Every structure is written in structure tokens, then in C-alpha cells.
């Protein structure tokens, strides 16, 4: 079989891979940025929701209900297009990271709330009894233990976030799906290009899935001891 007998799309494969791997780098950047932002907001509003302050609990409740009730794509459009109408212009990658962080934080705040509430309140009381402030007790006693509790759901969230980054193409973030759409419009090899995209997503998500299962098994063994 000579090169002339190969399928036409094979000759374009180096170009496809170059564009898709470049997009994969942006996908990873958006995933990491969105994950870090989601964790920070999740911890903050998770702490608010378990606070003794009615005001902080109310703020956390409003935040969670609003952003869990809005589709992620709507949040991205509001941040990228809506803020531009009032003079706040974010580049596509920053807008995507911001949108994923705000949306993800609403979900993770409930995860962290459950993790915080799983720690026996006697530990907080003991910390306060030896002179710690509530903030210091939370920082050094409650939070480290709650993070260990929520590690498996955090890992699962990261996998979901990796796949959801495909929505960033709607605000022109040059990640994999955006580049794939551009390649399809140039070459019309839609099936071949999107199969390559699927393979690249699997190459990124399967190691995360494996790491998640290993983490869950390790946590289960540690709990059983």
C-alpha cells in the first residue's frame, strides 16, 4: 500500500495533532485554573455555610442556590459577553476560568460543608478551650481533616471539570473543541477529527479516573484501620 492509497485525512494528521495538542494545553490550563478557583470558593462558602453568623450562612445559601440553578454555559456567556457591555472585558481563557470557578465553587461549597460538618464539634470546642480563635481552629484543626474527607469527591469533580471545559469553546477559548471546530470547517473531516478529540480526552481523563479509584481505595483502607 503506497502513500497515495492512504485515506485522505491521514495526510492531514500532523496538522490535526498539532492544532489539537495545542488546544489540549489550553484545556489543561482552564481545568487547573477552574479547579483551583472552585476549591478556593468551595472552602470559603463551605465555611460560611457552617458559620454561626446568620449573615454569612445567608450569603452562602444565596450563592449556592443561584449558581447551582444556572447552566454553566449561561454563566460563561454572562461573564464573557455580559460584563463586556459594562466595560469589563476578559479574554476568553480568563472568562472560562472565572466561569468554571464560580459555577464549580457552588457545588464544592456543599461538598466542603458536608466535610466540615463530619468533624466532631468536640474538636472545635477543645481548640477554643485552649485559647484558639475560631479562625485558627478552623485553619489548623477542622479544615485539614475535612479535606481528607472530601478528597474522593474532589477528584471526581476534577474529572467532570476536564470534560466540561469543552464548553469554553462557546466563548472562543482556544481549547481542544474550539480548535477541532476550526479544523472541521477547514477540512470537513468531522468524524476523524472528533474521534481524535475523543481519544485525547480519554488520554487525559483515564489517568485521573485511575488516580481517583486508587485514592478511594487508600482512603477506605485508612478508615478501616
Amino acid at each position: 500500500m503506497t502513500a497515495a492509497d492512504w485515506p485522505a485525512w491521514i495526510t492531514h494528521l500532523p496538522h490535526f495533532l498539532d492544532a489539537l495538542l495545542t488546544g489540549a494545553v489550553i484545556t489543561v490550563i482552564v481545568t487547573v485554573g477552574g479547579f483551583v478557583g472552585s476549591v478556593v470558593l468551595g472552602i470559603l462558602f463551605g465555611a460560611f455555610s457552617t458559620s454561626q453568623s446568620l449573615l454569612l450562612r445567608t450569603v452562602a445559601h444565596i450563592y449556592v442556590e443561584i449558581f447551582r440553578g444556572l447552566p454553566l454555559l449561561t454563566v460563561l456567556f454572562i461573564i464573557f459577553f455580559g460584563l463586556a457591555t459594562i466595560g469589563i472585558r476578559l479574554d476568553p481563557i480568563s472568562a472560562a476560568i472565572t466561569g468554571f470557578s464560580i459555577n464549580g465553587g457552588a457545588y464544592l461549597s456543599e461538598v466542603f460543608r458536608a466535610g466540615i460538618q463530619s468533624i466532631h464539634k468536640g474538636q472545635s470546642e477543645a481548640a477554643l478551650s485552649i485559647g484558639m480563635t475560631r479562625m485558627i481552629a478552623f485553619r489548623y484543626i477542622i479544615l485539614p481533616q475535612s479535606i481528607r474527607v472530601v478528597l474522593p469527591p474532589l477528584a471526581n469533580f476534577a474529572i467532570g471539570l476536564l470534560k466540561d471545559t469543552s464548553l469554553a469553546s462557546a466563548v472562543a477559548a482556544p481549547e481542544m473543541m474550539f480548535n477541532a471546530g476550526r479544523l472541521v470547517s477547514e477540512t470537513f473531516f468531522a468524524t476523524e477529527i472528533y474521534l481524535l478529540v475523543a481519544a485525547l480526552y480519554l488520554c487525559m481523563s483515564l489517568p485521573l479516573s485511575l488516580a481517583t479509584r486508587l485514592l478511594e481505595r487508600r482512603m477506605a483502607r485508612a478508615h478501616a484501620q
Side-chain angles (χ1 to χ4, degrees):
M1 185 176 183
T2 65
D5 298 320
W6 293 351
W9 69 273
I10 291 290
T11 60
H12 296 276
L13 186 58
H15 175 54
F16 291 167
L17 289 176
D18 180 61
L20 294 178
L21 289 174
T22 300
V25 173
I26 303 300
T27 293
V28 171
I29 291 172
V30 173
T31 300
V32 173
F35 181 77
V36 172
S38 297
V39 169
V40 171
L41 290 175
I43 292 173
L44 178 64
F45 285 96
F48 283 1
S49 64
T50 58
S51 170
Q52 293 185 335
S53 168
L54 176 61
L55 175 62
L56 293 181
R57 292 200 306 272
T58 301
V59 169
H61 178 73
I62 292 172
Y63 167 72
V64 169
E65 293 303 317
I66 288 176
F67 288 103
R68 285 205 309 178
L70 289 176
L72 176 56
L73 193 58
T74 302
V75 175
L76 291 174
F77 282 165
I78 290 172
I79 291 172
F80 188 67
F81 297 110
L83 293 182
T85 63
I86 59 173
I88 303 175
R89 300 183 183 277
L90 297 177
D91 65 86
I93 295 176
S94 298
I97 291 174
T98 302
F100 287 123
S101 297
I102 293 173
N103 185 264
Y107 287 92
L108 289 189
S109 67
E110 291 296 281
V111 172
F112 279 104
R113 178 186 62 78
I116 292 168
Q117 290 179 335
S118 71
I119 308 304
H120 195 280
K121 64 187 305 182
Q123 297 199 36
S124 294
E125 294 170 352
L128 295 176
S129 70
I130 61 173
M132 288 187 177
T133 64
R134 292 189 181 277
M135 183 64 71
I136 293 176
F138 178 80
R139 166 66 181 83
Y140 291 101
I141 306 297
I142 305 303
L143 184 59
Q145 296 183 78
S146 64
I147 287 178
R148 286 197 292 270
V149 172
V150 304
L151 273 178
L154 280 181
N156 286 319
F157 173 80
I159 296 170
L161 181 60
L162 172 66
K163 294 180 289 185
D164 286 344
T165 54
S166 61
L167 292 174
S169 62
V171 293
E175 45 75 62
M176 262 202 307
M177 284 300 293
F178 181 85
N179 286 359
R182 181 172 55 80
L183 290 172
V184 169
S185 66
E186 291 174 358
T187 65
F188 302 103
F189 291 115
T191 301
E192 295 83 357
I193 289 169
Y194 287 122
L195 283 174
L196 284 173
V197 170
L200 289 173
Y201 271 116
L202 284 173
C203 287
M204 291 188 289
S205 63
L206 288 178
L208 274 176
S209 298
L210 177 61
T212 299
R213 285 194 289 271
L214 291 174
L215 178 62
E216 289 174 345
R217 290 173 186 170
R218 182 174 179 180
M219 296 284 291
R221 287 198 300 268
H223 181 73
Q225 290 176 353

